[in-house]
Amino acid sequence: SSWALYNLAQAAPICPTTGKRLFKPGRHFSIDRVFRNEEMDKTHLCEFHQVEGFIVDRNLSLANMMHVLEQFFMRIGVTNLRFKPAYNPYTEPSMEIFGYHSGMKKWMEVGNSGVFRPEMLQPMGFDKDVTAIAWGLSLERPTMIKYGIQHISELFGHKVDLNFIRKARIARY
């Protein structure tokens, strides 16, 4: 995210009359495999798919970020969300996102998010009123919530039900 933001700021020309950068607001997304040194259990794998994104524009707020995340999860069928304040070194405010798994009767962390700190954006070349909101979301845990899957290993490996994978909208390729 930081590399992409830096390149966006540097590519924007400076307006001669206002002195502000003429950057183009944008939404940027990626889906990647992430490896973590995690102990495997019913909600953790050593690798997972992360939906990462950021939006850069003028005067974005925490409310804008919460709305984007609620819309994303609503579209994939996860509607019972909670946001919890968190610490991330490059964003402030920051929040963890939890979705309620009714089958397990518990809240599961499905992502992390935040508003990039001004002291991150301004050295890149952005004006003071430019804000970037960013997030990293798990793909497996919302899938578990949507389909009532009790153990994450049911999505991968020798225990996977191939008929389920073929029929499930969120997992179809």
Side-chain angles (χ1 to χ4, degrees), residues 124-162:
M124 293 179 187
F126 286 111
D127 296 325
K128 288 183 180 187
D129 63 343
V130 172
T131 315
I133 56 178
W135 57 87
L137 312 172
S138 160
L139 192 57
E140 288 78 8
R141 288 185 185 170
T143 304
M144 289 177 68
I145 292 169
K146 177 177 176 126
Y147 292 107
I149 295 170
Q150 299 291 313
H151 202 290
I152 201 164
S153 66
E154 294 175 38
L155 292 172
F156 297 98
H158 68 285
K159 293 184 179 181
V160 72
D161 177 358
L162 292 177

Side-chain angles (χ1 to χ4, degrees), residues 10 66 71 89 145 164 171:
Q10 295 303 307
M66 291 173 72
Q71 290 297 307
I145 292 169
F164 165 75

